[in-house]
Amino acid sequence: MKAAPALSPELGAALRRLRLGRIADVLPERALLAHKQGLSFEETLLGLLTDEIARRQDAQATTRAEQAGLDPDMTFERFDKASKVTYDRRLLAELSSLRFVDAGRHALLMGPVGTGKTFVATALGHLACRHGYGVHFTRADRMLHTLRKSRFDNSRDAVMRSLCSVDLLVVDDFALEPLDRDESRDVYQLFVERTGRASMIVTSNRDTSEWLAMFDDPLLGQSAVDRFKNGAYDLVLEGESYRPHRKPSVHENDPPPSAPVGKRPGARRRRR
């Protein structure tokens, strides 16, 4: 078998100065493959650049997902299709197209505890990251806690601007607990500012008709909920809990456990 041609130090250095170091790493093998397949110089170069573009896009999507706070394991590729959860597949396909993000509409994911609402919301967030959208994932209680603390250091306006300006805001477990006066105002402002301008994905165990009772101020609640529900797709997930499908377990093919790092097998603690 013919060996891949060596890359000259000058060419390797030039590629790295142009931040094309990954191309330098694969160029010898790709050149050999191009020779075997009879590819032209233009075809070979196009293949190298196309692969580099895809690699950079994947890296950027991974960075955006990390910054968004998305669980890396909650993607549609990892969704267990054997789970006994029912939902409108046409609607999920529509949401997966991300047209609702372009249109500034929302998505409400409803259903009993454990049916995979958070998983689907996070997976949609990953899709948005792959398509270049800015995404932020937060649990509703954490978001409200952050806004509550921001009132003490006069950073509330900055926090609210950040929540209102991101392309896609994912709010998990909304309306689990009643909202006090300040929280009601925060949610009202968030829903008003984002509706028609930027998209949200909200997961909840409650229907929007039950949200009204969660607000301290009924009028603010009616205004906020009316805006949100009339600008949102409703995806209902029903069935058995999805969580057992993600429950950790030990399999026969798993390697045997090793001693914890920093401890010797059989080591005993010293008595004081």
Side-chain angles (χ1 to χ4, degrees):
M1 182 180 293
K2 184 178 179 180
L7 192 68
S8 71
E10 294 80 9
L11 179 56
L15 288 171
R16 288 182 171 82
R17 287 192 65 182
L18 292 172
R19 297 184 180 179
L20 296 172
R22 294 298 181 93
I23 289 183
D25 294 337
V26 301
L27 184 54
E29 288 77 12
R30 291 297 295 269
L32 180 60
L33 180 63
H35 176 73
K36 290 181 178 179
Q37 296 180 346
L39 300 178
S40 67
F41 172 78
E42 183 177 342
E43 290 172 327
T44 304
L45 180 60
L46 178 59
L48 284 166
L49 295 178
T50 300
D51 289 348
E52 178 65 12
I53 290 171
R55 185 195 67 78
R56 292 189 181 191
Q57 288 177 338
D58 289 344
Q60 290 169 356
T62 299
T63 299
R64 281 192 292 269
E66 291 174 352
Q67 293 174 342
L70 298 173
D71 187 327
D73 291 327
M74 291 187 180
T75 63
F76 284 122
E77 292 84 358
R78 294 174 180 254
F79 189 75
D80 190 345
K81 297 180 180 179
S83 62
K84 296 180 180 179
V85 177
T86 61
Y87 52 89
D88 186 334
R89 296 181 181 275
R90 286 186 59 191
L91 178 52
L92 182 56
E94 173 63 30
L95 295 176
S96 298
S97 75
L98 302 179
R99 283 192 288 258
F100 79 101
V101 180
D102 290 330
R105 293 186 175 274
H106 308 314
L108 172 60
L109 276 54
M110 294 179 291
V113 172
T115 50
K117 301 182 296 296
T118 301
F119 194 111
V120 173
T122 303
L124 289 170
H126 278 289
L127 279 181
C129 287
R130 293 173 189 175
H131 284 78
Y133 294 102
V135 180
H136 179 64
F137 178 95
T138 179
R139 245 179 28 213
D141 60 334
R142 289 179 179 172
M143 178 185 73
L144 294 172
H145 179 67
T146 299
L147 284 165
R148 188 182 307 117
K149 289 198 306 181
S150 69
R151 286 180 164 84
F152 296 102
D153 59 8
N154 295 320
S155 64
R156 180 188 176 279
D157 289 345
V159 173
M160 184 60 74
R161 277 196 303 271
S162 176
L163 291 171
C164 290
S165 61
V166 68
D167 296 325
L168 177 61
L169 177 64
V170 184
V171 181
D172 193 31
D173 280 340
F174 180 71
L176 280 181
E177 298 179 330
L179 307 174
D180 63 25
R181 184 179 180 182
D182 288 335
E183 291 171 341
S184 296
R185 290 180 175 179
D186 288 338
V187 171
Y188 168 80
Q189 182 179 349
L190 187 65
F191 282 13
V192 169
E193 292 288 341
R194 293 195 64 89
T195 298
R197 298 182 180 89
S199 298
M200 296 175 64
I201 298 176
V202 176
T203 76
S204 181
N205 298 323
R206 304 178 190 273
D207 185 81
T208 51
S209 61
E210 301 177 80
W211 289 5
L212 296 176
M214 298 290 105
F215 283 79
D216 175 75
D217 186 324
L219 187 59
L220 283 180
Q222 289 176 2
S223 181
V225 173
D226 183 71
R227 281 177 167 83
F228 178 85
K229 73 177 184 180
N230 287 306
Y233 292 93
D234 295 341
L235 180 65
V236 180
L237 294 93
E238 298 178 309
E240 297 179 359
S241 176
Y242 184 79
R243 290 195 176 100
H245 294 266
R246 305 189 73 234
K247 184 178 177 65
S249 59
V250 177
H251 302 283
E252 292 182 0
N253 296 329
D254 288 345
S258 57
V261 177
K263 293 184 179 180
R264 292 175 289 112
R268 296 180 178 179
R269 289 184 178 180
R270 293 183 179 179
R271 293 183 179 180
R272 294 185 179 181

